[in-house]
PDB file of all heavy atoms in Angstrom:
ATOM      1  N   LEU A   1      -8.600 -58.638  56.418  1.00 89.00           N
ATOM      2  CA  LEU A   1      -8.778 -57.599  55.410  1.00 89.00           C
ATOM      3  C   LEU A   1      -9.743 -58.151  54.381  1.00 89.00           C
ATOM      4  O   LEU A   1      -9.459 -59.170  53.738  1.00 89.00           O
ATOM      5  CB  LEU A   1      -7.451 -57.246  54.750  1.00 89.00           C
ATOM      6  CG  LEU A   1      -7.543 -56.278  53.560  1.00 89.00           C
ATOM      7  CD1 LEU A   1      -8.091 -54.920  54.010  1.00 89.00           C
ATOM      8  CD2 LEU A   1      -6.192 -56.116  52.905  1.00 89.00           C
ATOM      9  N   LEU A   2     -10.860 -57.521  54.226  1.00 88.00           N
ATOM     10  CA  LEU A   2     -11.879 -57.941  53.269  1.00 88.00           C
ATOM     11  C   LEU A   2     -11.746 -57.089  52.019  1.00 88.00           C
ATOM     12  O   LEU A   2     -11.838 -55.868  52.093  1.00 88.00           O
ATOM     13  CB  LEU A   2     -13.271 -57.788  53.880  1.00 88.00           C
ATOM     14  CG  LEU A   2     -14.453 -58.135  52.991  1.00 88.00           C
ATOM     15  CD1 LEU A   2     -14.426 -59.625  52.640  1.00 88.00           C
ATOM     16  CD2 LEU A   2     -15.754 -57.765  53.685  1.00 88.00           C
ATOM     17  N   MET A   3     -11.517 -57.743  50.867  1.00 87.00           N
ATOM     18  CA  MET A   3     -11.436 -57.033  49.597  1.00 87.00           C
ATOM     19  C   MET A   3     -12.601 -57.495  48.734  1.00 87.00           C
ATOM     20  O   MET A   3     -12.750 -58.686  48.458  1.00 87.00           O
ATOM     21  CB  MET A   3     -10.091 -57.330  48.921  1.00 87.00           C
ATOM     22  CG  MET A   3      -8.920 -56.771  49.698  1.00 87.00           C
ATOM     23  SD  MET A   3      -7.337 -56.880  48.852  1.00 87.00           S
ATOM     24  CE  MET A   3      -6.942 -58.610  49.047  1.00 87.00           C
ATOM     25  N   VAL A   4     -13.452 -56.563  48.332  1.00 85.00           N
ATOM     26  CA  VAL A   4     -14.678 -56.879  47.604  1.00 85.00           C
ATOM     27  C   VAL A   4     -14.552 -56.381  46.165  1.00 85.00           C
ATOM     28  O   VAL A   4     -14.349 -55.180  45.953  1.00 85.00           O
ATOM     29  CB  VAL A   4     -15.896 -56.232  48.284  1.00 85.00           C
ATOM     30  CG1 VAL A   4     -17.173 -56.563  47.531  1.00 85.00           C
ATOM     31  CG2 VAL A   4     -15.991 -56.677  49.736  1.00 85.00           C
ATOM     32  N   PRO A   5     -14.673 -57.275  45.179  1.00 83.00           N
ATOM     33  CA  PRO A   5     -14.580 -56.840  43.788  1.00 83.00           C
ATOM     34  C   PRO A   5     -15.805 -56.021  43.381  1.00 83.00           C
ATOM     35  O   PRO A   5     -16.865 -56.124  43.986  1.00 83.00           O
ATOM     36  CB  PRO A   5     -14.488 -58.142  43.002  1.00 83.00           C
ATOM     37  CG  PRO A   5     -15.149 -59.152  43.871  1.00 83.00           C
ATOM     38  CD  PRO A   5     -14.892 -58.715  45.292  1.00 83.00           C
ATOM     39  N   GLY A   6     -15.623 -55.260  42.343  1.00 81.00           N
ATOM     40  CA  GLY A   6     -16.718 -54.437  41.807  1.00 81.00           C
ATOM     41  C   GLY A   6     -17.708 -55.257  40.996  1.00 81.00           C
ATOM     42  O   GLY A   6     -17.904 -56.438  41.244  1.00 81.00           O
ATOM     43  N   GLY A   7     -18.281 -54.646  39.999  1.00 78.00           N
ATOM     44  CA  GLY A   7     -19.347 -55.224  39.213  1.00 78.00           C
ATOM     45  C   GLY A   7     -19.018 -56.540  38.531  1.00 78.00           C
ATOM     46  O   GLY A   7     -19.907 -57.341  38.260  1.00 78.00           O
ATOM     47  N   SER A   8     -17.731 -56.790  38.249  1.00 77.00           N
ATOM     48  CA  SER A   8     -17.382 -58.026  37.546  1.00 77.00           C
ATOM     49  C   SER A   8     -17.510 -59.244  38.454  1.00 77.00           C
ATOM     50  O   SER A   8     -17.705 -60.360  37.980  1.00 77.00           O
ATOM     51  CB  SER A   8     -15.964 -57.952  37.000  1.00 77.00           C
ATOM     52  OG  SER A   8     -15.028 -57.977  38.068  1.00 77.00           O
ATOM     53  N   GLY A   9     -17.340 -59.056  39.769  1.00 74.00           N
ATOM     54  CA  GLY A   9     -17.396 -60.164  40.705  1.00 74.00           C
ATOM     55  C   GLY A   9     -16.181 -61.071  40.647  1.00 74.00           C
ATOM     56  O   GLY A   9     -16.150 -62.112  41.272  1.00 74.00           O
ATOM     57  N   VAL A  10     -15.146 -60.679  39.910  1.00 82.00           N
ATOM     58  CA  VAL A  10     -13.939 -61.482  39.755  1.00 82.00           C
ATOM     59  C   VAL A  10     -12.870 -60.960  40.712  1.00 82.00           C
ATOM     60  O   VAL A  10     -12.587 -59.768  40.736  1.00 82.00           O
ATOM     61  CB  VAL A  10     -13.440 -61.420  38.292  1.00 82.00           C
ATOM     62  CG1 VAL A  10     -12.166 -62.204  38.126  1.00 82.00           C
ATOM     63  CG2 VAL A  10     -14.510 -61.938  37.349  1.00 82.00           C
ATOM     64  N   GLY A  11     -12.275 -61.847  41.498  1.00 82.00           N
ATOM     65  CA  GLY A  11     -11.302 -61.433  42.486  1.00 82.00           C
ATOM     66  C   GLY A  11      -9.853 -61.409  42.038  1.00 82.00           C
ATOM     67  O   GLY A  11      -8.985 -60.961  42.781  1.00 82.00           O
ATOM     68  N   GLU A  12      -9.562 -61.866  40.824  1.00 85.00           N
ATOM     69  CA  GLU A  12      -8.175 -61.950  40.369  1.00 85.00           C
ATOM     70  C   GLU A  12      -7.410 -60.615  40.422  1.00 85.00           C
ATOM     71  O   GLU A  12      -6.210 -60.628  40.658  1.00 85.00           O
ATOM     72  CB  GLU A  12      -8.069 -62.545  38.969  1.00 85.00           C
ATOM     73  CG  GLU A  12      -8.210 -64.040  38.920  1.00 85.00           C
ATOM     74  CD  GLU A  12      -9.664 -64.492  38.897  1.00 85.00           C
ATOM     75  OE1 GLU A  12     -10.561 -63.660  38.617  1.00 85.00           O
ATOM     76  OE2 GLU A  12      -9.922 -65.676  39.194  1.00 85.00           O
ATOM     77  N   PRO A  13      -8.048 -59.465  40.218  1.00 85.00           N
ATOM     78  CA  PRO A  13      -7.283 -58.221  40.315  1.00 85.00           C
ATOM     79  C   PRO A  13      -6.645 -58.004  41.688  1.00 85.00           C
ATOM     80  O   PRO A  13      -5.701 -57.232  41.811  1.00 85.00           O
ATOM     81  CB  PRO A  13      -8.333 -57.134  40.027  1.00 85.00           C
ATOM     82  CG  PRO A  13      -9.347 -57.810  39.183  1.00 85.00           C
ATOM     83  CD  PRO A  13      -9.416 -59.223  39.720  1.00 85.00           C
ATOM     84  N   PHE A  14      -7.121 -58.699  42.714  1.00 86.00           N
ATOM     85  CA  PHE A  14      -6.571 -58.550  44.055  1.00 86.00           C
ATOM     86  C   PHE A  14      -5.402 -59.507  44.325  1.00 86.00           C
ATOM     87  O   PHE A  14      -4.763 -59.418  45.382  1.00 86.00           O
ATOM     88  CB  PHE A  14      -7.656 -58.802  45.111  1.00 86.00           C
ATOM     89  CG  PHE A  14      -8.778 -57.823  45.075  1.00 86.00           C
ATOM     90  CD1 PHE A  14     -10.081 -58.263  44.961  1.00 86.00           C
ATOM     91  CD2 PHE A  14      -8.550 -56.463  45.180  1.00 86.00           C
ATOM     92  CE1 PHE A  14     -11.131 -57.358  44.942  1.00 86.00           C
ATOM     93  CE2 PHE A  14      -9.604 -55.548  45.163  1.00 86.00           C
ATOM     94  CZ  PHE A  14     -10.898 -56.013  45.046  1.00 86.00           C
ATOM     95  N   ASP A  15      -5.116 -60.425  43.433  1.00 88.00           N
ATOM     96  CA  ASP A  15      -4.098 -61.446  43.684  1.00 88.00           C
ATOM     97  C   ASP A  15      -2.734 -60.873  44.052  1.00 88.00           C
ATOM     98  O   ASP A  15      -2.114 -61.304  45.019  1.00 88.00           O
ATOM     99  CB  ASP A  15      -3.957 -62.401  42.491  1.00 88.00           C
ATOM    100  CG  ASP A  15      -5.089 -63.406  42.409  1.00 88.00           C
ATOM    101  OD1 ASP A  15      -5.837 -63.570  43.400  1.00 88.00           O
ATOM    102  OD2 ASP A  15      -5.216 -64.048  41.353  1.00 88.00           O
ATOM    103  N   ALA A  16      -2.256 -59.902  43.297  1.00 88.00           N
ATOM    104  CA  ALA A  16      -0.908 -59.355  43.531  1.00 88.00           C
ATOM    105  C   ALA A  16      -0.809 -58.688  44.893  1.00 88.00           C
ATOM    106  O   ALA A  16       0.137 -58.934  45.653  1.00 88.00           O
ATOM    107  CB  ALA A  16      -0.529 -58.384  42.425  1.00 88.00           C
ATOM    108  N   VAL A  17      -1.784 -57.864  45.241  1.00 90.00           N
ATOM    109  CA  VAL A  17      -1.728 -57.177  46.534  1.00 90.00           C
ATOM    110  C   VAL A  17      -1.928 -58.174  47.672  1.00 90.00           C
ATOM    111  O   VAL A  17      -1.309 -58.069  48.718  1.00 90.00           O
ATOM    112  CB  VAL A  17      -2.723 -56.001  46.608  1.00 90.00           C
ATOM    113  CG1 VAL A  17      -4.158 -56.458  46.662  1.00 90.00           C
ATOM    114  CG2 VAL A  17      -2.403 -55.098  47.784  1.00 90.00           C
ATOM    115  N   ALA A  18      -2.780 -59.177  47.486  1.00 89.00           N
ATOM    116  CA  ALA A  18      -2.992 -60.190  48.525  1.00 89.00           C
ATOM    117  C   ALA A  18      -1.709 -60.955  48.801  1.00 89.00           C
ATOM    118  O   ALA A  18      -1.380 -61.239  49.949  1.00 89.00           O
ATOM    119  CB  ALA A  18      -4.117 -61.131  48.122  1.00 89.00           C
ATOM    120  N   GLU A  19      -0.972 -61.305  47.757  1.00 89.00           N
ATOM    121  CA  GLU A  19       0.300 -62.017  47.937  1.00 89.00           C
ATOM    122  C   GLU A  19       1.318 -61.157  48.690  1.00 89.00           C
ATOM    123  O   GLU A  19       2.006 -61.639  49.567  1.00 89.00           O
ATOM    124  CB  GLU A  19       0.877 -62.442  46.589  1.00 89.00           C
ATOM    125  CG  GLU A  19       0.210 -63.675  46.029  1.00 89.00           C
ATOM    126  CD  GLU A  19       0.371 -64.888  46.949  1.00 89.00           C
ATOM    127  OE1 GLU A  19       1.484 -65.124  47.470  1.00 89.00           O
ATOM    128  OE2 GLU A  19      -0.632 -65.574  47.154  1.00 89.00           O
ATOM    129  N   ARG A  20       1.409 -59.885  48.340  1.00 90.00           N
ATOM    130  CA  ARG A  20       2.359 -58.987  49.025  1.00 90.00           C
ATOM    131  C   ARG A  20       2.006 -58.813  50.489  1.00 90.00           C
ATOM    132  O   ARG A  20       2.869 -58.843  51.352  1.00 90.00           O
ATOM    133  CB  ARG A  20       2.419 -57.634  48.337  1.00 90.00           C
ATOM    134  CG  ARG A  20       3.212 -57.692  47.050  1.00 90.00           C
ATOM    135  CD  ARG A  20       3.574 -56.361  46.551  1.00 90.00           C
ATOM    136  NE  ARG A  20       4.613 -55.756  47.391  1.00 90.00           N
ATOM    137  CZ  ARG A  20       5.262 -54.665  47.068  1.00 90.00           C
ATOM    138  NH1 ARG A  20       4.988 -54.063  45.929  1.00 90.00           N
ATOM    139  NH2 ARG A  20       6.175 -54.167  47.851  1.00 90.00           N
ATOM    140  N   LEU A  21       0.728 -58.650  50.773  1.00 88.00           N
ATOM    141  CA  LEU A  21       0.313 -58.475  52.164  1.00 88.00           C
ATOM    142  C   LEU A  21       0.517 -59.763  52.957  1.00 88.00           C
ATOM    143  O   LEU A  21       0.915 -59.730  54.111  1.00 88.00           O
ATOM    144  CB  LEU A  21      -1.149 -58.035  52.232  1.00 88.00           C
ATOM    145  CG  LEU A  21      -1.423 -56.628  51.741  1.00 88.00           C
ATOM    146  CD1 LEU A  21      -2.924 -56.384  51.651  1.00 88.00           C
ATOM    147  CD2 LEU A  21      -0.761 -55.592  52.643  1.00 88.00           C
ATOM    148  N   ALA A  22       0.247 -60.910  52.352  1.00 88.00           N
ATOM    149  CA  ALA A  22       0.419 -62.191  53.037  1.00 88.00           C
ATOM    150  C   ALA A  22       1.882 -62.449  53.370  1.00 88.00           C
ATOM    151  O   ALA A  22       2.191 -63.117  54.359  1.00 88.00           O
ATOM    152  CB  ALA A  22      -0.145 -63.323  52.192  1.00 88.00           C
ATOM    153  N   ALA A  23       2.790 -61.909  52.562  1.00 86.00           N
ATOM    154  CA  ALA A  23       4.218 -62.106  52.804  1.00 86.00           C
ATOM    155  C   ALA A  23       4.743 -61.258  53.948  1.00 86.00           C
ATOM    156  O   ALA A  23       5.801 -61.547  54.507  1.00 86.00           O
ATOM    157  CB  ALA A  23       4.997 -61.789  51.526  1.00 86.00           C
ATOM    158  N   GLU A  24       4.019 -60.192  54.323  1.00 81.00           N
ATOM    159  CA  GLU A  24       4.444 -59.326  55.416  1.00 81.00           C
ATOM    160  C   GLU A  24       4.225 -60.030  56.751  1.00 81.00           C
ATOM    161  O   GLU A  24       3.277 -60.761  56.916  1.00 81.00           O
ATOM    162  CB  GLU A  24       3.644 -58.010  55.405  1.00 81.00           C
ATOM    163  CG  GLU A  24       3.946 -57.141  54.224  1.00 81.00           C
ATOM    164  CD  GLU A  24       5.369 -56.605  54.242  1.00 81.00           C
ATOM    165  OE1 GLU A  24       5.867 -56.236  55.302  1.00 81.00           O
ATOM    166  OE2 GLU A  24       5.973 -56.591  53.156  1.00 81.00           O
ATOM    167  N   ARG A  25       5.090 -59.788  57.671  1.00 65.00           N
ATOM    168  CA  ARG A  25       4.960 -60.413  58.989  1.00 65.00           C
ATOM    169  C   ARG A  25       4.927 -59.335  60.050  1.00 65.00           C
ATOM    170  O   ARG A  25       5.588 -58.456  60.158  1.00 65.00           O
ATOM    171  CB  ARG A  25       6.111 -61.361  59.282  1.00 65.00           C
ATOM    172  CG  ARG A  25       6.163 -62.453  58.239  1.00 65.00           C
ATOM    173  CD  ARG A  25       5.836 -63.749  58.846  1.00 65.00           C
ATOM    174  NE  ARG A  25       5.778 -64.731  57.758  1.00 65.00           N
ATOM    175  CZ  ARG A  25       5.081 -65.792  57.853  1.00 65.00           C
ATOM    176  NH1 ARG A  25       4.379 -66.024  58.897  1.00 65.00           N
ATOM    177  NH2 ARG A  25       5.051 -66.656  56.879  1.00 65.00           N
TER     178      ARG A  25
END
């Protein structure tokens, strides 16, 4: 799953969703 940040170029807004998805099996 590729998540691309907008104009800020900062990926931290994706941290919460990335953690939840990584926990799924």
Side-chain angles (χ1 to χ4, degrees):
L1 173 63
L2 177 65
M3 295 188 284
V4 180
S8 70
V10 178
E12 282 84 16
F14 297 125
D15 284 346
V17 70
E19 282 299 316
R20 284 195 72 170
L21 291 171
E24 292 294 320
R25 301 247 175 206

